[in-house]
Amino acid sequence: MGEGLAGALAEATLRVGDQAGKWDRDGLLPLDLLHDLGAEGRLCAQVPEEYGGWGLSSTLNGAYTAHVGGLCSSLRSVMTSQGMAAWTVQRLGTPEQAAAYLPRLTGGELAAIGFSEPGAGSDLAAMTTTVRRDGDTVVLDGHKKWVTAAHYADLLLIVGRYQDGAVAVVVPADAPGVRTERIADPLGCRAAGHADVHLDGVRLPADHVLGGHGLPPTLLVTTALAYGRMSVAWGCVGILRACLAAATAHAAEREQFGKPLSEHQLVAGHLADLFTAEQVARRVCEHASRCWDEGTPDQVVAAVLAKHVSATQAARGAATAVQVLASAGSQDGHPVARAYRDAKLMEIIEGSSELCRLMLAQHALSLPGTS
């Protein structure tokens, strides 16, 4: 990344400009913009430089992700999808697969990764998408639901049951038997390209299976979701920053009963809560990224904690910002109105708040002195 982090943040601001509200209302990101950003390595910045990426640490990529998240959560969602796909290839693929696919993900092609199904979200045992071996090919059948960025994707990374375990398969979006069905009018991240993916007898060479063999479903999904949780968490920091900026500016300028809103104690309390939420979310994300960069044993639980805290703080903080701005922040497309809808989805994707709480409770029970 020759331009440095400050240059990357400035470039992101320039590329998004004042278009995020329009993209949200239209429900689409410009495809040429996505391809351009992808070709410049901006959609999966943690990919090593040898594969055309920027080679950022989790900490630096987090700062970059938060900045984009504050500009446009839909664009950040596409970044999350691209980064998850790249991370899964890095962790589960063979060296040959990494060399084959990672340059494509830093060269302009777009990717989406499919986990959830109509009857299987967090319950991996209920997953019904199957991958079966047939000679030197594999055949996929199933239905993936709410796949972020699938509407734009050139490559789909599909997780399915395989023998007694599970596999991730790289599927060209235009392969025979693949059909994507865009989700109309999602609550939030409207331009992120959410779509259902139908797989009907999709036949591919067996070397499209990452690593060439099956893994325990929990291990496979946890590997991919670790990156996604970190990306969502940092994106929520961006949401909170955008809400704080909008709320403080409005409260300083708007007058009621002869003085600025910011001088009314109850409104000032809202601003304090927003500032606190941003600080808490940022600190927990910084901790999680340090664990990631240092490879500590707490890496997985730190990512879950960061995602849970940041998402809940963002949802609460966005609601607070709407309260401060009132009608001024209630118009469709306004940054605070977008944040209100987008943040709610963050409490659901990459592991719902309920699932995160269960995982954190299990971790707490495993600590010394708790039993």
Side-chain angles (χ1 to χ4, degrees), residues 128-368:
T128 59
T129 294
T130 60
V131 182
R132 62 180 176 84
R133 187 71 180 255
D134 184 13
D136 59 355
T137 67
V138 290
V139 181
L140 290 80
D141 288 283
H143 176 192
K144 294 297 181 181
K145 194 167 183 63
W146 274 85
V147 181
T148 302
H151 179 69
Y152 307 117
D154 303 292
L155 296 173
L156 300 165
L157 201 60
I158 299 296
V159 176
R161 302 196 70 83
Y162 177 77
Q163 298 176 354
D164 295 329
V167 290
V169 186
V170 180
V171 180
D174 60 358
V178 176
R179 179 171 61 88
T180 58
E181 181 183 6
R182 189 178 170 203
I183 294 172
D185 303 320
L187 171 68
C189 298
R190 290 172 173 172
H194 301 294
D196 287 0
V197 177
H198 301 268
L199 306 151
D200 184 11
V202 179
R203 185 178 296 273
L204 298 166
D207 62 7
H208 281 233
V209 176
L210 292 182
H213 55 81
L215 293 170
T218 303
L219 175 61
L220 190 156
V221 174
T222 299
T223 297
L225 285 186
Y227 185 100
R229 285 168 177 156
M230 291 295 298
S231 184
V232 166
W234 276 109
C236 286
V237 173
I239 288 174
L240 284 164
R241 286 179 186 166
C243 287
L244 179 61
T248 53
H250 180 80
E253 296 170 359
R254 172 78 163 164
E255 289 193 359
Q256 288 286 283
F257 302 104
K259 60 182 179 181
L261 279 178
S262 58
E263 295 182 16
H264 292 269
Q265 285 188 339
L266 292 178
V267 176
H270 286 322
L271 300 181
D273 290 344
L274 262 173
F275 173 76
T276 301
E278 189 277 337
Q279 288 287 300
V280 168
R282 178 156 64 94
R283 302 309 179 191
V284 76
C285 285
E286 288 172 345
H287 168 70
S289 281
R290 282 195 299 271
C291 290
W292 183 292
D293 292 334
E294 296 169 7
T296 70
D298 292 333
Q299 178 178 333
V300 172
V301 71
V304 174
L305 180 65
K307 191 272 176 185
H308 176 58
V309 170
S310 297
T312 53
Q313 293 289 344
R316 188 178 302 119
T320 297
V322 172
Q323 192 71 24
V324 171
L325 273 80
S327 60
S330 301
Q331 185 174 353
D332 201 18
H334 188 282
V336 165
R338 281 192 286 114
Y340 183 74
R341 292 183 285 99
D342 294 344
K344 185 58 196 175
L345 283 192
M346 299 307 105
E347 291 191 300
I348 299 170
I349 64 172
E350 316 305 354
S352 67
S353 294
E354 291 80 6
L355 179 63
C356 288
R357 292 173 70 190
L358 285 173
M359 295 174 71
L360 293 171
Q362 290 167 359
H363 174 72
L365 289 169
S366 72
L367 296 175

Side-chain angles (χ1 to χ4, degrees), residues 43-90:
L43 296 182
C44 48
Q46 277 185 245
V47 171
E49 293 183 54
E50 65 185 286
Y51 299 116
W54 289 359
L56 295 189
S57 65
S58 177
T59 300
L60 289 178
N61 190 47
Y64 176 58
T65 302
H67 185 75
V68 175
L71 298 171
C72 177
S73 284
S74 288
L75 179 57
R76 194 275 311 151
S77 293
V78 173
M79 286 173 52
T80 298
S81 176
Q82 190 88 349
M84 287 175 69
W87 175 248
T88 304
V89 170
Q90 281 180 247

